[in-house]
Structure formats: structure tokens, C-alpha cells
């Protein structure tokens, strides 16, 4: 659906759409031009069909460039990623979740600004809102603290109660000698017994932007979220899902 502007479109200065009923030139908003650009990419990557002739596509791309749109400043993988996002949001995915996650991971490693959406975006066509969350490394590291503290105290106890009566050991040296074992032990105890497959992520709710935190993994013998976490935002009560690997959060289609 195209929204007509009250001002007349000037084809020499900008990209214009044509009204199918009247043949009149229609001026598009920047959002509509970006949507048309993504539709062209999606059609090309999914079916190989060109929505616009090369001349019109180049004019659309030049128009977006003059208007400061970031869409025209992307490489092949970024274009494919955005086309996949567009297809997913209208309910016609062009690739599997595994392929999408692999593509997104590759773009994130390349520091692509298109692979990480830190602010929620909602799409009128599908009613889906999406955002990319972040891994909470600080809180994740805190999970190793209980096992680390217990092993540290146990090592000091062994040092002063068993070794000290026979050989006088400098406390700093004792701690230094025990650090590798404490680190390795806390990692094994935490990841194999206390918090298996642990991962904590945080970010704004795709719908209301209230901050949420999600824990992936198990706690002792209690099973938790594995590959996908589905939760309800405490603030707006909207249900959304989060992918463990890509950290992509999206609401349920309305």
C-alpha cells in the first residue's frame, strides 16, 4: 500500500511510483522507498525475479542515498540478511533458522551495523516487533562465584591445616599455586552440575522497551530454556520469544 503525498512527485529529482488506476506519479515517503527497496532484494534472493527494471532500481537506490538511508551502504550478505528479515516478518521465510543464525553470526563478527538492532522495530504488515538482545557477561560470570569461593576456601584449608604443619608456605604463593585448579574446578562444577548450559541475556522488550533478562540453561536438575525462550514481559504482558544463538527477540504475529 502506497501513501500519496499532497505534493506532486518530480521524476527528474526523485524516485516516483505510478498509480495503477490513474497513471499519475506518486511521491513516496522514505519509509515506503526503503520498503520497496527491501521488496526488490527479497524478490531477487528468493525467486530471482526483478521487481523493478535496472534503471528504476538504480534511481531508487540513488534516491535513498541522497536521503541518507543506510540501506544502500551494505554488502551482499547484509542485503541477503535484510531480505530474510523482511520475508520472516511477513510470514514467508526465505531460509531456515540455522542458515539465518549462521548469516547473522558472520555479520556480527564483521561488526555489521545491520546485524544488531538495539532498538525495537515493529512491522505493520505482520504486527511483529523485533529487537536483538545482548549477553549479560557480568551476571553470567557471577554464576561461577559460588563454586569458586567454595574451592578457594577449601584450598586454603588444605594449605594451612595439612601442608603448613610440615612446610611453611607463603599465603600469596599458596593462592597463586591454587588459582589454576580453582578456576578449572569452578568451571567444571558450575557448567556440569550447578548451572549446565548457562547463558544470561538482557535487552528491551520488543513491544514496550522495558528491560528484560532471560536465563538459558538448567539449574541443578531443574530444566530451563534450551534453544528458544518464550516469556511474557512483566511490564506490558506481551509474549515474545528469544533465540539463544542469535539473541533475536520477536513478538508473536498478531
Amino acid at each position: 500500500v502506497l501513501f500519496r503525498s499532497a505534493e506532486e512527485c518530480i521524476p527528474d529529482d526523485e524516485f516516483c511510483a505510478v498509480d495503477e488506476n490513474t497513471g499519475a506519479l506518486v511521491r513516496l515517503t522514505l519509509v515506503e522507498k526503503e520498503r520497496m527497496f527491501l521488496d526488490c532484494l527479497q524478490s531477487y534472493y528468493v525467486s530471482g525475479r526483478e521487481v523493478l527494471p535496472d534503471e528504476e532500481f538504480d534511481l531508487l537506490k540513488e534516491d535513498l542515498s541522497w536521503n541518507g538511508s543506510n540501506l544502500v551502504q551494505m554488502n551482499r550478505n547484509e542485503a541477503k540478511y535484510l531480505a530474510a528479515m523482511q520475508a520472516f516478518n511477513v510470514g514467508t521465510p526465505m531460509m531456515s533458522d540455522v542458515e539465518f543464525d549462521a548469516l547473522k553470526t558472520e555479520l556480527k563478527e564483521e561488526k555489521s551495523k545491520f546485524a544488531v538492532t538495539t532498538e525495537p522495530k515493529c512491522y505493520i504488515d505482520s504486527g511483529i516487533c523485533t529487537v536483538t538482545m545482548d549477553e549479560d557477561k557480568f551476571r553470567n560470570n557471577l554464576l561461577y562465584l559460588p563454586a569458586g569461593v567454595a574451592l578457594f576456601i577449601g584450598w586454603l584449608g588444605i594449605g594451612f591445616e595439612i601442608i603448613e604443619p610440615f612446610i611453611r608456605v607463603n599465603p600469596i604463593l599458596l593462592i597463586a599455586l591454587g588459582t589454576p585448579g580453582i578456576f578449572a574446578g569452578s568451571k567444571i562444577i558450575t557448567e556440569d552440575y550447578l548451572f549446565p548450559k548457562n547463558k544470561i541475556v538482557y535487552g528491551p522488550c520488543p513491544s514496550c522497551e522495558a528491560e528484560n533478562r532471560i536465563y538459558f540453561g538448567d539449574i541443578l536438575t531443574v530444566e530451563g530454556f534450551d534453544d528458544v525462550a518464550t516469556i511474557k514481559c512483566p511490564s506490558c504482558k506481551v509474549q515474545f520469544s528469544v533465540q539463544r544463538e542469535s539473541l533475536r527477540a520477536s513478538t508473536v504475529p498478531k
Side-chain angles (χ1 to χ4, degrees), residues 21-217:
N21 296 321
T22 65
L25 297 178
V26 179
R27 170 171 288 172
L28 305 179
T29 65
L30 178 61
V31 173
E32 290 170 332
K33 291 174 184 177
E34 290 182 331
R35 180 64 59 83
M36 181 176 288
F37 185 76
L38 289 176
D39 285 342
C40 291
L41 293 176
Q42 179 185 338
S43 177
Y44 177 78
Y45 283 112
V46 174
S47 63
R49 184 175 62 88
E50 295 183 353
V51 176
L52 294 175
D54 290 343
E55 183 178 345
E56 291 186 27
F57 181 79
D58 291 340
L59 181 59
L60 174 60
K61 186 175 181 180
E62 183 180 354
D63 189 316
L64 289 173
S65 180
W66 277 104
N67 281 281
S69 174
N70 290 327
L71 291 183
V72 297
Q73 303 171 0
M74 55 184 169
N75 57 37
R76 181 181 177 87
N77 281 341
E78 289 172 332
K80 189 175 183 180
Y81 170 78
L82 290 180
M85 284 288 293
Q86 176 82 347
F88 173 81
N89 289 323
V90 297
T92 56
M94 56 182 277
M95 62 176 66
S96 66
D97 287 343
V98 174
E99 292 174 323
F100 180 86
D101 291 341
L103 176 60
K104 184 171 184 178
T105 300
E106 181 180 348
L107 290 176
K108 289 177 71 174
E109 291 175 352
E110 295 173 356
K111 308 299 181 182
S112 171
K113 58 186 175 183
F114 291 98
V116 180
T117 307
T118 56
E119 296 182 359
K121 291 184 178 180
C122 295
Y123 299 84
I124 298 176
D125 296 345
S126 61
I128 296 176
C129 296
T130 64
V131 72
T132 300
M133 294 193 162
D134 292 312
E135 185 175 355
D136 193 337
K137 295 183 179 180
F138 175 73
R139 285 178 171 79
N140 227 106
N141 290 334
L142 289 179
L143 297 177
Y144 296 83
L145 190 59
V149 170
L151 291 175
F152 178 74
I153 294 175
W155 173 249
L156 290 182
I158 292 175
F160 287 108
E161 296 296 329
I162 299 178
I163 300 177
E164 180 72 14
F166 302 98
I167 303 175
R168 185 168 184 80
V169 181
N170 186 305
I172 297 178
L173 179 60
L174 181 64
I175 294 173
L177 291 174
T179 297
I182 293 172
F183 176 82
S186 62
K187 185 175 177 65
I188 293 173
I189 293 174
T190 300
E191 295 180 357
D192 292 349
Y193 303 102
L194 299 181
F195 305 104
K197 301 180 291 184
N198 65 80
K199 187 174 188 178
I200 301 176
V201 303
Y202 73 100
C205 166
S207 180
C208 70
E209 300 188 34
E211 186 170 290
N212 284 261
R213 278 187 171 79
I214 300 97
Y215 174 80
F216 287 95

Side-chain angles (χ1 to χ4, degrees), residues 207-241:
S207 180
C208 70
E209 300 188 34
E211 186 170 290
N212 284 261
R213 278 187 171 79
I214 300 97
Y215 174 80
F216 287 95
D218 305 333
I219 299 178
L220 295 176
T221 58
V222 179
E223 293 186 356
F225 296 122
D226 192 10
D227 295 327
V228 180
T230 301
I231 67 170
K232 182 177 291 186
C233 175
S235 179
C236 66
K237 310 303 180 184
V238 170
Q239 182 173 298
F240 65 95
S241 60

